[in-house]
Amino acid sequence: MSRKLLLDKLEIAGIETFAVYRANGGYASVEKALKMAPNDVVEEVKKSGLRGRGGAGFPTGLKWSFIDKKSGRPRYLVVNADESEPGTFKDRFLMEKLPHLLIEGIVTSSFALEANLSFIYIRGEFRWIIKILEKAIAEAKAAGLVGRNILGTGYNLEIVVQTGAGAYICGEETALIESLEGKRGNPRIKPPFPAVSGLYNNPTVVNNVESIATVPWIINNSGDEYAKIGTPKSAGTKLISACGNINNPGVFEIELGLPVEEFIFSPTFCGGIKDGKRMKAVVAGGSSVPILPSGLILKTTNGEPRLMSYESLSDGGFLTGTMLGSGGFIVYDEDQCIVRNTWNFTRFYHHESCGQCSPCREGTGWMERILHNIENGHGKMTDIDLLWDVQRKIEGNTICPLGDAAAWPVAAAIRHFRDEFEWHVREPKECLVRNYGLAESAVASSSLQD
Amino acid sequence: MLAIRTGQKVEFSEATLQKVTEIINRYPEGKQKSALLPLLHLAQDEFGGWLSVEAMDYVGRLLHIQPIEVYEVATFYSMYNMKPVGRFLLEVCQTGPCMIRGAEKLVSQLEQKLNIKKGETTSDGLFTLKTVECLAACGYAPMLQCGEHYHEFLDTEEKVDQLLGELRKRAQVNN
């Protein structure tokens, strides 16, 4: 279950350079796609079953098919490289190690969309990666694979690296478009969706880095072959960035459908819990997805092994399940305080709220203050119900999903660790939650650990 | 106060102005406002690591947009500094995954060693200490960003001492 489609050439020395990448079969998908009709390229991606790797999991080919090609207006592909979801650092890895894979994916995807100008919107903090990408684009351009008359086919494409400036909200596609237009990153009301009216009010597709980097494999090997990998509803492989209290933090490519237990405890992946401690909880897909106690992340309520896939992780809805999200996998050991972690995440969402919608702007700050009080021993028992009430009033009541992203971690923490919140209120001077509640939720070890 | 007026005239160097032209020409005709964020980065880099009112007005003139259009953008994004910062801006990630791997300890070590609180600048103007939200380095925590560089796995006092020593040395060499 460690099949590699994106990272298969990672170990080749110099693979970040154009010469080595090209000598190892790089840009073959461009050669192939440019001999096809653009709509046939879209069809291959549709057949592959690829779902957007940024977090929402919307089918990529379907998204492409919404683009309005008949109006004759310019079309744009915008690659979302504004990676800022706590727990997620896989796009950074991909761009740093395999920049030409992304550029190849952009050329192939832009051709499918009949776009002549594409942007990589990258978070401004990744300054060294911006240089890597600009160098890769220049190399590809010098070789006739970007720019005018690509491979003599008459197809033209310019790629621009656009720098953000530190705003998590710009990971949301319409906020990203606003930012790319030189404005505050305030999300737009949808509809219209970007495929109809996006960048400069023209048809636009916004895709995550990993999604676009997957396109070359699909075109080289066919959508049908890609669909055979993984599970029926979660095709292909996925990059997972694993962090927290584990022995091997890092970025792993997994075949979707890998058992969660194997991912956490196998030496091939996370390598088990650090310092021989017990596992308490996991956030499986970036900070915005619901946290699950150990028992529920390893097994569904039916007692079946939980798998690393869209459908298995969400089994049971938010009552007993979570989401694959962006693949930001955070593991907590028995010493971690869920109240403190929830307060930390809520502070993040308060800081990153764009301020457009009252429920998000005011609600995230309200939750942060309540959680800060509980964490610091000044909470009341009624605060827990108030917290529940505030998060309920944020969820679903904002222009963009940041409100949901702020509400879900709070809801899940109360749902699965309410006793820990109550302990903080009852015993304000002791954070004995460190070991509290483990009897039900923690796992001591796994046969896969050694 | 959201921004500071210095009364000083600012102007990009010839080399930077050439870069400005290249950036502006990337976008379709009439969509040059898209260059605002990249130009604000250039201004911050060239004018001492922060954006004065004069610097923002200058960028606005280059793009033929109103000053308010620049102010509202500059104050929205956390990478733009609205007041002077030290020569080395140390930005420690404090979000969840970094917190559970020791970010709070890293901040308190830096506060102690630099004799400042977060948000402050050392009296010699060398270091400003700041906490920031997620920098996408969760697997390599605790960490801080200084300029272009990510300094990761800062989990011991020795590593923090070594980093500060290297930065001080760099400041001496460049003086």
Side-chain angles (χ1 to χ4, degrees), chain A residues 76 83-84 86-89 92 119 123-128 131 134 160-167 170 179-185 200 243-244 246 249 274 330 336 340 344-345 347-348 351-352, chain B residues 26-28 31 33-38 41 45 69 72-73 75-80 91 94-97 99-101 104 118 132-140 143 145 147-150 152-153:
Chain A
Y76 300 106
E83 186 168 61
S84 327
T88 312
F89 49 101
R92 162 193 166 182
F119 293 89
R123 64 178 301 172
E125 291 91 340
F126 286 164
R127 287 191 152 199
W128 77 101
K131 287 181 181 169
E134 284 178 338
V160 171
V161 181
Q162 177 81 3
T163 49
C170 291
S179 181
L180 187 37
E181 291 181 357
K183 295 181 264 183
R184 295 163 63 101
Y200 312 131
C243 62
I246 49 173
K274 201 165 184 281
I330 314 168
Q336 302 309 320
R340 189 163 188 75
N344 183 293
F345 279 168
R347 183 191 61 201
F348 170 82
H351 184 266
E352 300 300 334
Chain B
R26 291 171 176 173
Y27 308 99
K31 308 298 179 190
K33 194 183 169 187
S34 281
L36 181 51
L37 272 71
H41 280 301
D45 287 349
E69 294 179 75
E72 64 180 9
V73 164
T75 54
F76 181 81
Y77 296 92
S78 62
M79 284 183 77
Y80 300 127
E91 300 177 284
Q94 61 176 348
T95 316
M99 181 189 75
I100 66 175
R101 298 281 289 220
E104 289 169 332
K118 61 181 178 183
V132 294
E133 298 299 342
C134 189
L135 286 176
C138 320
Y140 323 119
M143 61 83 66
Q145 180 169 25
E148 288 195 13
H149 304 284
Y150 273 25
E152 299 169 330
F153 297 115

Side-chain angles (χ1 to χ4, degrees), chain B residues 63-111:
Chain B
L63 288 173
H64 308 290
I65 58 177
Q66 295 299 314
I68 187 64
E69 294 179 75
V70 185
Y71 304 158
E72 64 180 9
V73 164
T75 54
F76 181 81
Y77 296 92
S78 62
M79 284 183 77
Y80 300 127
N81 301 310
M82 292 293 110
K83 59 181 185 182
V85 294
R87 184 158 169 186
F88 299 112
L89 177 59
L90 307 177
E91 300 177 284
V92 183
C93 175
Q94 61 176 348
T95 316
C98 276
M99 181 189 75
I100 66 175
R101 298 281 289 220
E104 289 169 332
K105 194 172 154 200
L106 175 59
V107 172
S108 67
Q109 278 175 353
L110 286 164
E111 284 182 332

Side-chain angles (χ1 to χ4, degrees), chain A residues 259-276:
Chain A
V260 172
E261 184 172 3
E262 187 178 339
F263 181 67
I264 298 172
F265 292 103
S266 162
T268 310
F269 303 107
C270 301
I273 310 304
K274 201 165 184 281
D275 300 328

Side-chain angles (χ1 to χ4, degrees), chain A residues 248-267:
Chain A
N248 309 328
V251 177
F252 304 98
E253 183 171 9
I254 61 153
E255 185 172 343
L256 287 166
L258 176 81
V260 172
E261 184 172 3
E262 187 178 339
F263 181 67
I264 298 172
F265 292 103
S266 162

Side-chain angles (χ1 to χ4, degrees), chain B residues 27-50:
Chain B
Y27 308 99
E29 193 53 43
K31 308 298 179 190
Q32 273 61 42
K33 194 183 169 187
S34 281
L36 181 51
L37 272 71
L39 260 55
L40 284 173
H41 280 301
L42 285 182
Q44 184 158 286
D45 287 349
E46 190 143 325
F47 304 138
W50 69 289

